[in-house]
């Protein structure tokens, strides 16, 4: 199964992410309070790829692809980079510019379990996402 999530917007305190494009590979674990975080051992492998689409003064629009589908994987990985998803107060965002978590799956691709055919579903960016990076 291939997982894709795109349209993640997050606040960055400088001009942009540490790199225009990168891969984050860690082991993730969930604590008793249901918060997911990276550990050196004892977690499940999580791989997140990101690429900058557009950078603004306060926010950056990223395309994010995940090789694994761990709970809150994107939220944990971006937060640990020091740039949580905008609106994600649980993972360190200071503001909620759209009154919601600014994370949107614009493409989901999966293999149909009955036919074996790969199916792709697409959705446009929610209202307000692009305006944050202008």
């Amino acid at each position: 199964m291939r997982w894709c999530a795109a349209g993640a917007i997050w606040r960055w305190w400088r001009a942009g992410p540490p790199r225009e494009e990168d891969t984050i590979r860690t082991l993730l674990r969930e604590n008793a309070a249901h918060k997911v975080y990276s550990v050196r051992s004892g977690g499940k492998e999580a791989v997140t790829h990101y690429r900058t689409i557009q950078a603004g003064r306060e926010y950056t629009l990223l395309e994010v692809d995940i090789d694994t589908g761990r709970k809150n994987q994107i939220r944990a990985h971006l937060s640990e980079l020091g740039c949580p998803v905008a609106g994600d107060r649980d993972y360190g965002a200071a503001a909620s510019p759209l009154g919601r978590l600014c994370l949107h799956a614009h493409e989901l691709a999966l293999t149909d379990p009955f036919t074996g055919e790969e199916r792709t579903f697409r959705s446009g960016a929610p209202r307000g996402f692009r305006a944050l990076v202008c």
Side-chain angles (χ1 to χ4, degrees), residues 69-92:
R70 307 287 178 225
K71 177 180 177 181
N72 294 336
Q73 174 178 328
I74 295 169
R75 297 169 71 188
H77 276 167
L78 293 179
S79 177
E80 290 168 359
L81 280 180
C83 43
V85 175
D88 194 356
R89 295 190 191 276
D90 290 344
Y91 282 86

Side-chain angles (χ1 to χ4, degrees), residues 7 9 12 21 30 42 48 51 76 87 95 97 100 104 108 111 114-116 118 126 129:
I9 300 178
W12 185 251
E21 188 171 337
E30 183 176 1
T48 303
R51 180 174 67 90
R100 59 162 282 187
H104 172 71
L108 295 174
T111 303
F114 299 105
T115 67
E118 184 166 300
F129 267 42

Side-chain angles (χ1 to χ4, degrees), residues 54-122:
Q54 185 178 357
R57 285 180 285 132
E58 293 186 76
Y59 298 93
T60 300
L61 178 65
L62 297 179
E63 180 174 66
V64 179
D65 292 311
I66 54 176
D67 291 350
T68 50
R70 307 287 178 225
K71 177 180 177 181
N72 294 336
Q73 174 178 328
I74 295 169
R75 297 169 71 188
H77 276 167
L78 293 179
S79 177
E80 290 168 359
L81 280 180
C83 43
V85 175
D88 194 356
R89 295 190 191 276
D90 290 344
Y91 282 86
S96 184
L98 298 179
R100 59 162 282 187
L101 181 67
C102 294
L103 182 65
H104 172 71
H106 93 102
E107 181 178 289
L108 295 174
L110 52 97
T111 303
D112 185 308
F114 299 105
T115 67
E117 175 186 358
E118 184 166 300
R119 306 276 312 225
T120 302
F121 304 91
R122 292 183 180 86

